Amino acid sequence: FFQPYERIVDLSRGIPWPRWCVGGKLNIVHNCLDKRRGTADGRRDAIRWEGEEGTVRVLTYEELASDVCRLVNALRVLGMKKGDVAALFMPMTPETVAALFAVAKLGGIILPLFSGYGAAAVAERLRDSGAEFLFTADGFYRRGHKVLLKPIVDEALVDAPSVTHVLTYKRLGVEIPWNSARDLWWHEAVAQQSDQAPTEHTDADDPLMIIYTSGTTGRPKGALH
């Protein structure tokens, strides 16, 4: 905790509406990354990743924290602030981890979206959450085939006008549709950014993530966590 809590739980509004760690200020990124920088832990491996095509990448805690800070600074330039919702429609890559931590470091709300969703499912969750930012990739490999993600995003955003910024990670290096008023390449956004960035102090019960049910038998329902 940046600021210790005054009491563990407040039930004054009734048992169904508890407030936990009242008065406490914290951020999970401080505990997961920030406090490891400049220490022996910072040199330990944080991520070991192998792509389907055989590419191998290893990131230490220090390297991951630097990537997160560069992304945080890029997002601040784009106007992201505490409480904003950012969707992650990403393949399983280290960049997905960096995006999750970057949103949390800013005090934003993470909206994870399964990379197998179609445009309609993506659009419905974006509309319902009011997401303004979206992270995606040009595509990814699945069982030896290239699966494009960005065209699904473009189709979804026709029905999800709240999204004003799309950061796209170049995973495949294939040609994809582009909207210069909204789209930005990930590598270009972070290229000139500092690897240092302040971490937002959040209340213990501030929302971190919106997780939706599958919606198999009806509209998906979101829950704040």
Side-chain angles (χ1 to χ4, degrees):
F1 286 85
F2 296 118
Q3 176 179 306
Y5 55 84
E6 300 160 3
R7 55 191 302 190
I8 294 176
V9 62
D10 176 3
L11 299 176
S12 61
R13 297 182 298 178
I15 291 177
W17 300 279
R19 294 180 60 216
W20 292 95
C21 298
V22 181
K25 298 285 186 180
L26 75 163
N27 192 302
I28 63 165
V29 181
H30 171 74
N31 293 301
C32 293
L33 296 178
D34 293 352
K35 69 181 183 181
R36 300 177 188 267
R37 303 194 77 173
T39 71
D41 279 349
R43 296 188 294 272
R44 294 175 56 195
D45 294 345
I47 296 176
R48 293 173 177 266
W49 176 84
E50 182 175 349
E52 185 176 308
E53 77 282 17
T55 301
V56 175
R57 292 169 60 193
V58 179
L59 290 178
T60 65
Y61 282 98
E62 188 75 42
E63 290 168 335
L64 177 58
S66 294
D67 287 349
V68 169
C69 285
R70 292 187 185 96
L71 188 53
V72 163
N73 290 326
L75 290 171
R76 283 194 167 116
V77 169
L78 295 175
M80 187 175 178
K81 60 189 183 302
K82 180 181 176 182
D84 287 347
V85 178
L88 276 61
F89 188 51
M90 294 281 294
M92 297 295 287
T93 66
E95 284 68 27
T96 306
V97 181
L100 184 147
F101 277 128
V103 176
K105 189 176 177 76
L106 273 164
I109 302 173
I110 303 154
L111 171 61
L113 297 173
F114 172 46
S115 60
Y117 281 154
V122 172
E124 185 166 21
R125 288 159 176 80
L126 293 174
R127 283 197 308 272
D128 188 71
S129 67
E132 297 178 49
F133 299 83
L134 189 149
F135 299 90
T136 192
D138 53 356
F140 62 99
Y141 296 99
R142 179 185 289 163
R143 298 180 181 178
H145 299 284
K146 293 181 178 181
V147 179
L148 299 184
L149 280 182
K150 182 59 165 53
I152 297 174
V153 167
D154 289 341
E155 183 179 348
L157 293 188
V158 172
D159 296 317
S162 64
V163 176
T164 55
H165 298 289
V166 177
L167 268 71
T168 304
Y169 171 58
K170 188 176 288 188
R171 172 76 173 96
L172 298 180
V174 296
E175 187 173 340
I176 53 173
W178 201 255
N179 180 341
S180 58
R182 180 192 64 208
D183 300 340
L184 186 63
W185 283 114
W186 188 304
H187 63 278
E188 293 179 354
V190 303
Q192 303 301 320
Q193 298 298 335
S194 168
D195 66 354
Q196 302 289 328
T199 299
E200 186 74 31
H201 291 200
T202 57
D203 291 332
D205 56 359
D206 278 344
L208 173 68
M209 188 177 297
I210 303 175
I211 300 178
Y212 282 85
T213 59
S214 64
T216 304
T217 58
R219 290 189 61 208
K221 298 177 178 63
L224 288 171
H225 295 269

